[in-house]
Coordinates of all heavy atoms in Angstrom, one line a residue:
R1 N 3.6 2.9 -17.5 CA 2.9 2.0 -16.7 C 1.8 2.7 -15.9 O 2.1 3.8 -15.4 CB 3.8 1.2 -15.8 CG 4.8 0.4 -16.5 CD 5.7 -0.4 -15.6 NE 6.5 -1.2 -16.4 CZ 7.5 -1.9 -16.0 NH1 7.8 -1.9 -14.7 NH2 8.3 -2.7 -16.8
R2 N 0.7 2.0 -15.7 CA -0.4 2.6 -14.9 C -1.2 1.5 -14.3 O -1.1 0.3 -14.7 CB -1.2 3.5 -15.8 CG -1.8 2.7 -17.0 CD -2.5 3.6 -18.0 NE -3.6 4.3 -17.4 CZ -4.0 5.5 -17.9 NH1 -3.4 6.1 -18.9 NH2 -5.0 6.1 -17.3
G3 N -2.0 1.8 -13.3 CA -2.9 0.8 -12.7 C -2.8 0.9 -11.2 O -2.2 1.8 -10.6
A4 N -3.5 -0.1 -10.6 CA -3.5 -0.2 -9.1 C -3.1 -1.6 -8.8 O -3.6 -2.6 -9.4 CB -4.9 0.1 -8.6
F5 N -2.2 -1.8 -7.8 CA -1.7 -3.1 -7.4 C -1.7 -3.2 -5.9 O -1.6 -2.2 -5.2 CB -0.3 -3.2 -8.0 CG -0.2 -3.0 -9.5 CD1 0.0 -1.8 -10.0 CD2 -0.4 -4.1 -10.3 CE1 0.0 -1.6 -11.4 CE2 -0.4 -4.0 -11.7 CZ -0.2 -2.7 -12.2
E6 N -1.6 -4.5 -5.5 CA -1.6 -4.8 -4.0 C -0.3 -5.5 -3.8 O 0.2 -6.3 -4.6 CB -2.8 -5.7 -3.7 CG -2.8 -6.0 -2.2 CD -2.2 -7.4 -1.9 OE1 -2.0 -8.2 -2.8 OE2 -1.8 -7.6 -0.7
A7 N 0.3 -5.2 -2.6 CA 1.6 -5.9 -2.2 C 1.5 -6.3 -0.8 O 1.1 -5.5 0.1 CB 2.8 -5.0 -2.4
T8 N 1.8 -7.6 -0.5 CA 1.9 -8.1 0.9 C 3.2 -8.8 1.0 O 3.2 -10.0 0.8 CB 0.7 -9.0 1.2 OG1 -0.5 -8.3 0.9 CG2 0.7 -9.4 2.7
P9 N 4.3 -8.1 1.2 CA 5.6 -8.7 1.2 C 5.8 -9.5 2.5 O 5.2 -9.4 3.5 CB 6.5 -7.5 1.2 CG 5.8 -6.5 2.0 CD 4.3 -6.7 1.6
P10 N 6.8 -10.5 2.4 CA 7.2 -11.2 3.6 C 7.7 -10.1 4.6 O 8.3 -9.1 4.2 CB 8.4 -12.0 3.2 CG 8.2 -12.2 1.7 CD 7.5 -10.9 1.2
F11 N 7.5 -10.3 5.9 CA 7.8 -9.4 6.9 C 9.3 -9.5 7.3 O 9.7 -9.8 8.4 CB 7.0 -9.5 8.2 CG 5.5 -9.4 7.9 CD1 4.6 -10.0 8.7 CD2 5.0 -8.7 6.8 CE1 3.2 -9.9 8.5 CE2 3.6 -8.6 6.5 CZ 2.7 -9.2 7.4
A12 N 10.2 -9.3 6.3 CA 11.6 -9.4 6.5 C 12.2 -8.1 6.0 O 11.9 -7.6 4.9 CB 12.2 -10.5 5.6
P13 N 13.1 -7.5 6.8 CA 13.6 -6.1 6.4 C 14.2 -6.0 5.0 O 14.0 -5.1 4.3 CB 14.7 -5.9 7.5 CG 14.2 -6.7 8.7 CD 13.6 -7.9 8.1
A14 N 15.0 -7.0 4.6 CA 15.6 -6.9 3.3 C 14.5 -6.9 2.2 O 14.7 -6.2 1.2 CB 16.6 -8.1 3.1
M15 N 13.5 -7.7 2.4 CA 12.4 -7.8 1.4 C 11.6 -6.4 1.4 O 11.2 -5.9 0.3 CB 11.4 -8.9 1.6 CG 12.1 -10.3 1.4 SD 12.6 -10.5 -0.3 CE 11.1 -10.5 -1.2
L16 N 11.4 -5.9 2.5 CA 10.7 -4.6 2.6 C 11.5 -3.5 1.9 O 10.9 -2.7 1.2 CB 10.4 -4.2 4.1 CG 9.4 -5.1 4.8 CD1 9.3 -4.6 6.3 CD2 8.0 -5.0 4.2
A17 N 12.8 -3.5 2.1 CA 13.6 -2.5 1.5 C 13.6 -2.6 0.0 O 13.5 -1.6 -0.7 CB 15.1 -2.6 2.0
R18 N 13.7 -3.8 -0.5 CA 13.7 -4.1 -1.9 C 12.3 -3.7 -2.5 O 12.3 -3.0 -3.6 CB 14.0 -5.5 -2.2 CG 14.2 -5.8 -3.6 CD 14.7 -7.2 -3.8 NE 14.7 -7.5 -5.3 CZ 15.0 -8.6 -5.8 NH1 15.3 -9.7 -5.1 NH2 15.0 -8.8 -7.1
M19 N 11.2 -4.0 -1.9 CA 9.9 -3.7 -2.3 C 9.7 -2.2 -2.4 O 9.2 -1.6 -3.3 CB 8.8 -4.3 -1.5 CG 7.4 -4.0 -1.9 SD 6.2 -4.1 -0.6 CE 6.8 -2.8 0.5
R20 N 10.1 -1.5 -1.3 CA 10.0 -0.1 -1.2 C 10.8 0.6 -2.3 O 10.2 1.5 -3.0 CB 10.5 0.5 0.1 CG 10.4 2.0 0.3 CD 10.9 2.4 1.7 NE 12.2 1.8 2.1 CZ 13.4 2.2 1.6 NH1 13.5 3.2 0.8 NH2 14.5 1.6 2.1
G21 N 12.0 0.2 -2.6 CA 12.8 0.8 -3.7 C 12.2 0.6 -5.0 O 12.1 1.5 -5.9
H22 N 11.6 -0.6 -5.2 CA 11.0 -0.9 -6.5 C 9.7 -0.1 -6.7 O 9.5 0.5 -7.8 CB 10.7 -2.4 -6.6 CG 10.2 -2.9 -7.9 ND1 10.9 -2.8 -9.1 CD2 9.0 -3.4 -8.3 CE1 10.2 -3.3 -10.1 NE2 9.0 -3.6 -9.6
I23 N 8.9 -0.1 -5.7 CA 7.6 0.7 -5.8 C 7.9 2.2 -6.0 O 7.3 2.8 -6.9 CB 6.7 0.5 -4.6 CG1 6.1 -0.9 -4.6 CG2 5.6 1.5 -4.5 CD1 5.3 -1.3 -3.4
H24 N 8.9 2.7 -5.3 CA 9.2 4.1 -5.5 C 9.7 4.4 -6.9 O 9.4 5.4 -7.5 CB 10.3 4.6 -4.4 CG 9.7 4.9 -3.1 ND1 10.5 5.4 -2.1 CD2 8.5 4.7 -2.6 CE1 9.7 5.6 -1.0 NE2 8.5 5.2 -1.3
A25 N 10.6 3.5 -7.4 CA 11.1 3.7 -8.8 C 9.9 3.7 -9.8 O 9.9 4.5 -10.7 CB 12.1 2.6 -9.1
L26 N 9.0 2.7 -9.6 CA 7.9 2.7 -10.5 C 7.0 3.9 -10.4 O 6.5 4.4 -11.5 CB 7.0 1.4 -10.2 CG 7.7 0.1 -10.6 CD1 6.9 -1.1 -10.0 CD2 7.9 -0.1 -12.1
L27 N 6.7 4.4 -9.2 CA 5.9 5.6 -9.0 C 6.6 6.8 -9.6 O 5.9 7.6 -10.3 CB 5.6 5.8 -7.6 CG 4.6 4.8 -7.0 CD1 4.6 4.9 -5.4 CD2 3.2 5.0 -7.5
K28 N 7.9 6.9 -9.5 CA 8.6 8.0 -10.0 C 8.6 8.0 -11.5 O 8.5 9.1 -12.1 CB 10.1 8.0 -9.5 CG 10.9 9.2 -9.9 CD 12.3 9.1 -9.3 CE 13.1 10.4 -9.8 NZ 14.4 10.3 -9.2
G29 N 8.7 6.9 -12.1 CA 8.8 6.8 -13.6 C 7.5 6.6 -14.3 O 7.5 6.6 -15.6
A30 N 6.4 6.5 -13.6 CA 5.1 6.2 -14.3 C 4.7 7.4 -15.1 O 4.7 8.5 -14.6 CB 4.1 5.8 -13.3
A31 N 4.2 7.1 -16.3 CA 3.6 8.2 -17.1 C 2.2 8.4 -16.8 O 1.7 9.5 -17.1 CB 3.8 7.8 -18.6
G32 N 1.5 7.5 -16.3 CA 0.1 7.6 -16.0 C -0.2 7.4 -14.5 O 0.8 7.2 -13.7
P33 N -1.5 7.3 -14.1 CA -1.8 7.1 -12.7 C -1.4 5.7 -12.2 O -1.6 4.7 -12.9 CB -3.3 7.2 -12.6 CG -3.8 7.2 -14.0 CD -2.6 7.5 -14.9
L34 N -0.7 5.7 -11.1 CA -0.2 4.4 -10.5 C -0.4 4.4 -9.0 O 0.0 5.4 -8.3 CB 1.3 4.2 -10.9 CG 1.9 2.9 -10.5 CD1 1.2 1.7 -11.2 CD2 3.4 2.9 -10.9
S35 N -1.0 3.3 -8.5 CA -1.2 3.2 -7.1 C -0.8 1.8 -6.6 O -0.9 0.8 -7.3 CB -2.7 3.3 -6.8 OG -3.2 4.5 -7.2
F36 N -0.4 1.7 -5.3 CA -0.1 0.5 -4.6 C -0.7 0.5 -3.2 O -0.6 1.5 -2.5 CB 1.4 0.3 -4.4 CG 2.2 0.1 -5.7 CD1 2.7 1.1 -6.5 CD2 2.4 -1.2 -6.2 CE1 3.4 0.9 -7.6 CE2 3.0 -1.5 -7.4 CZ 3.5 -0.4 -8.1
V37 N -1.4 -0.6 -2.9 CA -1.9 -0.8 -1.5 C -1.0 -1.8 -0.9 O -0.9 -2.9 -1.4 CB -3.4 -1.2 -1.5 CG1 -3.8 -1.5 -0.1 CG2 -4.2 -0.2 -2.2
V38 N -0.3 -1.4 0.1 CA 0.7 -2.3 0.8 C 0.2 -2.7 2.2 O -0.2 -1.9 3.0 CB 2.1 -1.6 0.9 CG1 3.1 -2.5 1.6 CG2 2.6 -1.1 -0.5
A39 N 0.1 -4.0 2.4 CA -0.3 -4.5 3.7 C 0.9 -5.3 4.4 O 1.5 -6.1 3.7 CB -1.5 -5.5 3.5
L40 N 1.2 -4.9 5.6 CA 2.3 -5.5 6.3 C 2.1 -5.4 7.8 O 1.2 -4.7 8.3 CB 3.6 -4.9 5.9 CG 3.8 -3.4 6.1 CD1 5.1 -3.1 6.8 CD2 3.7 -2.7 4.8
A41 N 2.9 -6.1 8.5 CA 2.9 -6.0 10.0 C 3.2 -4.6 10.5 O 4.2 -4.0 10.0 CB 3.8 -7.1 10.6
N42 N 2.5 -4.1 11.4 CA 2.7 -2.8 12.0 C 3.7 -3.0 13.1 O 3.4 -3.1 14.3 CB 1.5 -2.2 12.5 CG 1.7 -0.7 12.9 OD1 2.6 -0.1 12.4 ND2 0.8 -0.2 13.7
W43 N 5.0 -3.1 12.8 CA 6.0 -3.3 13.8 C 7.0 -2.2 13.7 O 7.1 -1.4 12.8 CB 6.7 -4.7 13.6 CG 7.2 -5.0 12.3 CD1 6.6 -4.8 11.1 CD2 8.5 -5.6 12.0 NE1 7.4 -5.3 10.0 CE2 8.6 -5.8 10.6 CE3 9.6 -6.0 12.8 CZ2 9.7 -6.3 9.9 CZ3 10.7 -6.6 12.1 CH2 10.7 -6.7 10.7
S44 N 7.8 -2.0 14.8 CA 8.7 -1.0 15.0 C 10.0 -1.4 14.3 O 10.8 -2.1 14.9 CB 9.0 -0.7 16.5 OG 9.9 0.3 16.6
H45 N 10.2 -0.9 13.1 CA 11.5 -1.2 12.3 C 11.7 -0.1 11.4 O 10.8 0.6 10.8 CB 11.3 -2.5 11.6 CG 12.6 -3.0 11.0 ND1 13.1 -2.5 9.8 CD2 13.6 -3.9 11.5 CE1 14.3 -3.1 9.6 NE2 14.6 -3.9 10.5
S46 N 13.0 0.2 11.0 CA 13.3 1.3 10.2 C 12.7 1.2 8.8 O 12.3 2.2 8.2 CB 14.8 1.5 10.1 OG 15.4 0.3 9.5
E47 N 12.5 0.0 8.3 CA 11.9 -0.2 6.9 C 10.4 0.2 7.0 O 9.9 0.8 6.0 CB 12.2 -1.6 6.4 CG 13.6 -1.8 5.8 CD 14.0 -0.8 4.8 OE1 13.1 -0.3 4.0 OE2 15.2 -0.4 4.7
V48 N 9.8 -0.2 8.0 CA 8.4 0.2 8.1 C 8.2 1.7 8.3 O 7.4 2.3 7.7 CB 7.7 -0.6 9.3 CG1 6.3 -0.1 9.5 CG2 7.7 -2.1 9.1
T49 N 9.1 2.3 9.1 CA 9.2 3.8 9.2 C 9.4 4.5 7.9 O 8.7 5.5 7.5 CB 10.2 4.2 10.2 OG1 9.9 3.6 11.5 CG2 10.3 5.7 10.4
K50 N 10.3 3.9 7.1 CA 10.5 4.5 5.7 C 9.3 4.5 4.8 O 9.0 5.4 4.1 CB 11.7 3.8 5.1 CG 13.0 4.2 5.7 CD 14.2 3.4 5.1 CE 15.5 3.6 5.8 NZ 16.6 2.8 5.3
L51 N 8.5 3.4 4.9 CA 7.3 3.3 4.2 C 6.2 4.3 4.7 O 5.5 4.9 4.0 CB 6.7 1.9 4.2 CG 7.4 0.9 3.3 CD1 7.1 -0.6 3.7 CD2 7.1 1.1 1.9
R52 N 6.2 4.4 6.1 CA 5.2 5.3 6.7 C 5.5 6.8 6.3 O 4.6 7.6 6.4 CB 5.3 5.2 8.2 CG 4.6 4.0 8.8 CD 4.8 4.0 10.3 NE 3.8 3.2 11.0 CZ 2.6 3.6 11.4 NH1 2.3 4.9 11.2 NH2 1.8 2.8 12.0
T53 N 6.8 7.1 6.0 CA 7.2 8.5 5.7 C 7.5 8.6 4.2 O 8.1 9.6 3.8 CB 8.4 8.9 6.5 OG1 9.5 8.0 6.3 CG2 8.0 8.9 8.0
S54 N 7.0 7.7 3.4 CA 7.2 7.8 1.9 C 6.6 9.1 1.4 O 5.5 9.5 1.8 CB 6.6 6.6 1.3 OG 6.5 6.8 -0.1
P55 N 7.3 9.7 0.4 CA 6.7 10.9 -0.2 C 5.5 10.5 -1.1 O 4.8 11.4 -1.4 CB 7.9 11.4 -1.1 CG 8.8 10.2 -1.3 CD 8.7 9.4 -0.1
Y56 N 5.3 9.3 -1.3 CA 4.1 8.8 -2.1 C 3.0 8.4 -1.2 O 1.9 8.0 -1.8 CB 4.5 7.7 -3.0 CG 5.6 8.1 -4.0 CD1 6.9 7.7 -3.8 CD2 5.3 8.9 -5.1 CE1 7.9 8.1 -4.7 CE2 6.3 9.3 -6.0 CZ 7.6 8.9 -5.8 OH 8.6 9.3 -6.7
L57 N 3.1 8.4 0.1 CA 2.1 8.0 1.0 C 0.9 8.9 0.9 O 1.0 10.1 1.1 CB 2.6 7.9 2.4 CG 1.6 7.4 3.5 CD1 1.2 5.9 3.2 CD2 2.1 7.6 4.9
R58 N -0.3 8.3 0.6 CA -1.5 9.1 0.5 C -2.5 8.8 1.6 O -3.4 9.6 2.0 CB -2.2 8.9 -0.8 CG -1.3 9.2 -2.0 CD -0.8 10.6 -2.0 NE 0.0 10.8 -3.3 CZ 1.1 11.4 -3.4 NH1 1.7 12.0 -2.3 NH2 1.7 11.6 -4.5
A59 N -2.5 7.5 2.2 CA -3.4 7.1 3.2 C -2.7 6.0 4.0 O -1.9 5.3 3.5 CB -4.7 6.6 2.6
L60 N -3.2 5.9 5.3 CA -2.6 4.9 6.2 C -3.8 4.4 7.1 O -4.6 5.2 7.5 CB -1.5 5.6 7.0 CG -0.8 4.7 8.1 CD1 0.6 5.2 8.2 CD2 -1.5 4.9 9.4
L61 N -3.8 3.1 7.3 CA -4.8 2.5 8.1 C -4.2 1.4 9.0 O -3.4 0.6 8.4 CB -5.9 1.9 7.2 CG -7.0 1.0 7.9 CD1 -7.9 1.8 8.7 CD2 -7.7 0.2 6.8
T62 N -4.6 1.3 10.2 CA -4.1 0.2 11.1 C -5.3 -0.6 11.5 O -6.4 -0.1 11.7 CB -3.4 0.7 12.3 OG1 -4.2 1.6 13.1 CG2 -2.1 1.4 12.0
V63 N -5.1 -1.9 11.5 CA -6.2 -2.8 11.8 C -5.7 -3.6 13.1 O -4.7 -4.3 13.0 CB -6.5 -3.8 10.7 CG1 -7.7 -4.8 11.1 CG2 -6.9 -3.1 9.4
P64 N -6.4 -3.4 14.2 CA -6.0 -4.1 15.4 C -6.1 -5.6 15.3 O -6.8 -6.2 14.5 CB -7.0 -3.7 16.5 CG -7.6 -2.4 15.9 CD -7.5 -2.5 14.5
Q65 N -5.2 -6.3 16.1 CA -5.2 -7.8 16.0 C -6.6 -8.4 16.2 O -6.9 -9.4 15.5 CB -4.3 -8.3 17.2 CG -2.8 -8.1 17.0 CD -2.1 -8.6 18.2 OE1 -1.7 -7.8 19.0 NE2 -1.8 -9.9 18.3
D66 N -7.4 -7.9 17.1 CA -8.7 -8.5 17.4 C -9.7 -8.3 16.4 O -10.8 -8.8 16.4 CB -9.2 -8.1 18.8 CG -9.4 -6.6 18.9 OD1 -9.0 -5.8 18.0 OD2 -10.1 -6.2 19.9
Q67 N -9.4 -7.5 15.4 CA -10.4 -7.2 14.3 C -10.0 -7.8 13.0 O -10.5 -7.4 11.9 CB -10.5 -5.7 14.1 CG -11.2 -5.0 15.3 CD -11.3 -3.5 15.1 OE1 -11.2 -3.0 14.0 NE2 -11.6 -2.8 16.2
Q68 N -9.1 -8.8 13.0 CA -8.6 -9.5 11.8 C -8.4 -10.9 12.1 O -8.2 -11.3 13.2 CB -7.4 -8.8 11.2 CG -6.2 -8.8 12.2 CD -4.9 -8.3 11.6 OE1 -4.6 -8.8 10.5 NE2 -4.2 -7.4 12.3
R69 N -8.4 -11.8 11.0 CA -8.1 -13.2 11.1 C -7.2 -13.5 9.9 O -7.3 -13.0 8.8 CB -9.3 -14.0 11.0 CG -10.3 -13.8 12.2 CD -9.7 -14.4 13.5 NE -10.6 -14.3 14.6 CZ -10.5 -13.3 15.5 NH1 -9.5 -12.4 15.4 NH2 -11.3 -13.2 16.5
W70 N -6.3 -14.4 10.2 CA -5.4 -14.9 9.1 C -5.9 -16.3 8.7 O -6.2 -17.1 9.6 CB -4.0 -15.0 9.5 CG -3.3 -13.6 9.7 CD1 -3.9 -12.4 9.6 CD2 -1.9 -13.3 9.9 NE1 -3.0 -11.4 9.8 CE2 -1.8 -11.9 9.9 CE3 -0.8 -14.1 10.0 CZ2 -0.5 -11.3 10.1 CZ3 0.4 -13.5 10.2 CH2 0.5 -12.1 10.2
L71 N -5.9 -16.6 7.4 CA -6.3 -17.9 7.0 C -5.1 -18.8 6.9 O -4.1 -18.5 6.3 CB -7.0 -17.9 5.6 CG -8.4 -17.2 5.7 CD1 -9.0 -17.2 4.3 CD2 -9.3 -17.9 6.6
D72 N -5.2 -20.0 7.5 CA -4.2 -21.0 7.4 C -4.9 -22.2 6.8 O -5.5 -23.0 7.5 CB -3.6 -21.3 8.8 CG -2.4 -22.3 8.7 OD1 -2.0 -22.6 7.6 OD2 -1.9 -22.6 9.8
G73 N -4.9 -22.3 5.4 CA -5.7 -23.3 4.8 C -7.1 -22.9 4.9 O -7.5 -21.7 4.6
A74 N -7.9 -23.7 5.5 CA -9.4 -23.4 5.7 C -9.6 -22.9 7.1 O -10.8 -22.6 7.4 CB -10.2 -24.7 5.4
V75 N -8.6 -22.8 7.9 CA -8.7 -22.4 9.3 C -8.4 -21.0 9.5 O -7.3 -20.5 9.1 CB -7.8 -23.3 10.2 CG1 -8.0 -22.9 11.6 CG2 -8.2 -24.8 10.0
A76 N -9.3 -20.2 10.1 CA -9.1 -18.8 10.4 C -8.5 -18.8 11.8 O -9.0 -19.3 12.7 CB -10.3 -18.0 10.3
R77 N -7.3 -18.1 11.9 CA -6.7 -17.9 13.2 C -6.5 -16.5 13.6 O -6.4 -15.6 12.7 CB -5.4 -18.7 13.3 CG -4.3 -18.3 12.3 CD -3.1 -19.2 12.5 NE -2.1 -18.9 11.5 CZ -1.1 -18.1 11.7 NH1 -0.9 -17.6 12.9 NH2 -0.2 -17.9 10.7
R78 N -6.3 -16.2 14.8 CA -6.1 -14.8 15.3 C -4.8 -14.3 14.7 O -3.8 -15.0 14.8 CB -6.1 -14.8 16.8 CG -6.0 -13.4 17.4 CD -6.3 -13.5 18.9 NE -6.0 -12.2 19.4 CZ -4.9 -12.0 20.2 NH1 -4.2 -13.0 20.6 NH2 -4.7 -10.8 20.7
A79 N -4.8 -13.1 14.3 CA -3.6 -12.5 13.8 C -2.6 -12.2 14.9 O -3.0 -11.7 16.0 CB -3.9 -11.2 13.0
P80 N -1.3 -12.5 14.7 CA -0.3 -12.2 15.8 C 0.1 -10.8 15.9 O 0.8 -10.4 16.9 CB 0.8 -13.1 15.4 CG 0.7 -13.2 13.9 CD -0.7 -13.1 13.5
V81 N -0.2 -9.9 14.9 CA 0.2 -8.6 14.9 C -0.9 -7.6 14.4 O -1.8 -8.0 13.8 CB 1.5 -8.4 14.1 CG1 2.7 -9.1 14.6 CG2 1.2 -8.8 12.6
E82 N -0.7 -6.3 14.7 CA -1.6 -5.3 14.2 C -1.2 -5.2 12.7 O 0.0 -5.3 12.3 CB -1.3 -4.0 14.9 CG -2.3 -2.9 14.5 CD -2.1 -1.7 15.4 OE1 -1.0 -1.0 15.2 OE2 -3.0 -1.3 16.1
L83 N -2.2 -5.0 11.8 CA -1.9 -4.8 10.4 C -1.8 -3.4 10.0 O -2.6 -2.5 10.5 CB -3.1 -5.5 9.6 CG -3.0 -5.4 8.1 CD1 -1.9 -6.3 7.6 CD2 -4.3 -5.9 7.5
L84 N -0.9 -3.1 9.1 CA -0.7 -1.7 8.6 C -1.0 -1.7 7.1 O -0.4 -2.6 6.4 CB 0.8 -1.2 8.9 CG 1.2 0.1 8.3 CD1 0.4 1.2 9.0 CD2 2.7 0.3 8.5
V85 N -1.9 -0.9 6.7 CA -2.2 -0.8 5.3 C -1.9 0.6 4.8 O -2.3 1.6 5.4 CB -3.7 -1.0 5.1 CG1 -4.1 -0.9 3.6 CG2 -4.2 -2.4 5.6
L86 N -1.0 0.7 3.8 CA -0.5 2.0 3.2 C -1.0 2.1 1.8 O -1.0 1.1 1.0 CB 1.0 2.0 3.3 CG 1.6 1.7 4.6 CD1 3.1 1.4 4.4 CD2 1.4 2.9 5.5
V87 N -1.4 3.3 1.4 CA -1.7 3.6 0.0 C -0.6 4.5 -0.5 O -0.4 5.6 0.0 CB -3.1 4.2 -0.2 CG1 -3.4 4.6 -1.6 CG2 -4.2 3.3 0.4
L88 N 0.1 4.0 -1.5 CA 1.2 4.8 -2.1 C 0.8 5.1 -3.6 O 0.3 4.2 -4.3 CB 2.5 4.0 -2.2 CG 3.0 3.5 -0.8 CD1 4.3 2.6 -1.0 CD2 3.3 4.6 0.1
Q89 N 0.8 6.4 -3.9 CA 0.3 6.8 -5.3 C 1.2 7.9 -5.8 O 1.8 8.7 -5.1 CB -1.1 7.4 -5.2 CG -2.1 6.4 -4.8 CD -3.5 7.1 -4.8 OE1 -3.6 8.2 -4.2 NE2 -4.5 6.5 -5.4
N90 N 1.3 8.0 -7.2 CA 1.9 9.1 -7.8 C 0.9 10.3 -7.9 O -0.3 10.1 -7.6 CB 2.6 8.8 -9.1 CG 1.6 8.3 -10.2 OD1 0.4 8.3 -10.0 ND2 2.1 7.9 -11.3
D91 N 1.3 11.4 -8.3 CA 0.4 12.6 -8.4 C -0.7 12.4 -9.4 O -1.8 12.8 -9.1 CB 1.2 13.9 -8.8 CG 2.1 14.3 -7.7 OD1 1.9 14.0 -6.5 OD2 3.1 15.1 -8.0
A92 N -0.4 11.7 -10.5 CA -1.5 11.4 -11.5 C -2.6 10.6 -10.9 O -3.8 10.7 -11.3 CB -0.9 10.7 -12.7
A93 N -2.3 9.7 -10.0 CA -3.3 8.8 -9.4 C -4.2 9.6 -8.4 O -5.3 9.2 -8.1 CB -2.7 7.6 -8.7
M94 N -3.7 10.7 -7.9 CA -4.5 11.5 -6.9 C -5.4 12.4 -7.6 O -6.4 12.9 -7.0 CB -3.5 12.3 -6.1 CG -2.8 11.5 -5.0 SD -1.9 12.5 -3.8 CE -3.2 13.6 -3.2
A95 N -5.2 12.7 -8.9 CA -6.1 13.7 -9.6 C -7.5 13.1 -9.8 O -7.8 12.0 -9.8 CB -5.4 14.0 -11.0

């Protein structure tokens, strides 16, 4: 498997753990370049910390609340949390 993918999981610890395990397994087993951009709430939780310290982490970006909007249908509303964007890649994707 190879390619680049985006993930925006529900902000629930069990879902974050499952996503992290799945992404790590895919990155470990990939024969070609593989990348994931993960966007989630920047909150203080052990699952977020595990993603921040992933051996596959290549880049990290935070977006403050006042610099983003969430769409609710056609209405843009202020984001309730700071956004965390992580880039997870295997070695082949970094080359």
Side-chain angles (χ1 to χ4, degrees):
R1 296 182 178 173
R2 57 188 302 150
F5 302 91
E6 182 267 339
T8 307
F11 304 154
M15 291 301 294
L16 292 175
R18 187 170 177 187
M19 180 204 66
R20 178 180 47 80
H22 186 64
I23 288 175
H24 279 187
L26 291 171
L27 289 167
K28 183 178 180 179
L34 186 60
S35 302
F36 290 90
V37 176
V38 180
L40 58 134
N42 188 24
W43 54 314
S44 180
H45 190 278
S46 62
E47 283 304 324
V48 176
T49 300
K50 289 175 185 175
L51 284 164
R52 283 177 159 271
T53 58
S54 167
Y56 299 103
L57 182 67
R58 308 300 186 220
L60 179 146
L61 168 74
T62 56
V63 181
Q65 287 176 260
D66 63 347
Q67 293 182 15
Q68 57 172 314
R69 296 289 180 262
W70 288 11
L71 291 178
D72 186 4
V75 178
R77 61 183 176 95
R78 187 168 168 251
V81 295
E82 186 175 69
L83 180 68
L84 177 63
V85 181
L86 307 165
V87 178
L88 305 175
Q89 295 179 312
N90 63 3
D91 291 339
M94 285 190 56

